[in-house]
């Protein structure tokens, strides 16, 4: 299987402070996985949430309808269940409930076996001054690289 599918959430590292990372499987239907393999998905505005039974779902993830799908096609913005170990789920749920952290998807990819996986992160939202500091650090790094390149 080709491992060329790599859909990223580019805004995540700018808007959130990443604390811990996990890799989760996703429960998908046939037309959803075909759309993902065609790179017709977006996780830019998505987040993860627990339901009453303690299961983790990704919300607001867009997987476009499969072009060759018939009436069996899926809904583009459906909630999709994430698969993690019980120990990891309990730890994440405790962190989210007690400390007010959030779970965000960072990357959607296809692994070596052909399964769709979602790299998720436990994150804390950045304040405005943190974002400004990130921009300042990035600009300083670019300036230093330019200076080093000229010598």
């Amino acid at each position: 299987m080709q491992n060329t599918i790599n859909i990223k959430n580019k805004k995540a590292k700018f808007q959130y402070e990443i604390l811990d990372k996990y890799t989760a499987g996703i429960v998908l239907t046939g037309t959803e996985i075909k759309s993902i393999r065609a790179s017709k998905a977006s996780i830019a505005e998505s987040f993860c949430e627990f339901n009453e039974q303690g299961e983790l779902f990704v919300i607001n993830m867009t997987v476009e309808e499969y072009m060759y799908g018939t009436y069996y096609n899926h809904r583009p913005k459906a909630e999709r269940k994430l698969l993690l170990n019980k120990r990891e789920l309990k730890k994440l749920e405790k962190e989210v409930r007690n400390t007010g952290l959030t779970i965000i998807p960072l990357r959607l990819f296809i692994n070596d076996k052909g399964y769709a996986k979602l790299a998720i992160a436990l994150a804390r939202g950045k304040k405005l001054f943190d974002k400004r500091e990130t921009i300042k650090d990035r600009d300083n790094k670019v300036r230093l690289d330019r200076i080093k390149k000229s010598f």
Side-chain angles (χ1 to χ4, degrees), residues 44-84:
E45 310 219 345
S46 57
F47 59 96
C48 300
E49 212 173 57
F50 284 95
N51 67 357
E52 297 83 31
Q53 289 83 27
E55 299 170 332
L56 188 62
F57 286 87
V58 63
I59 313 291
N60 216 13
M61 179 173 116
T62 306
V63 178
E64 291 181 22
E65 289 187 352
Y66 185 56
M67 187 183 347
Y68 303 110
T70 58
Y71 57 90
Y72 292 115
N73 232 335
H74 61 278
R75 291 189 335 240
K77 289 223 179 216
E79 296 180 358
R80 293 166 181 92
K81 185 177 177 180
L82 296 180
L83 305 171
L84 287 168

Side-chain angles (χ1 to χ4, degrees), residues 10-40:
K10 294 180 182 178
K11 292 182 180 181
K13 290 185 180 174
F14 181 71
Q15 292 178 342
Y16 297 96
E17 176 187 344
I18 308 298
L19 302 176
D20 206 2
K21 294 181 182 178
Y22 298 93
T23 302
I26 314 172
V27 176
L28 297 171
T29 62
T31 55
E32 287 174 331
I33 188 66
K34 289 179 180 183
S35 289
I36 289 173
R37 286 188 179 136
S39 294
K40 303 285 185 184

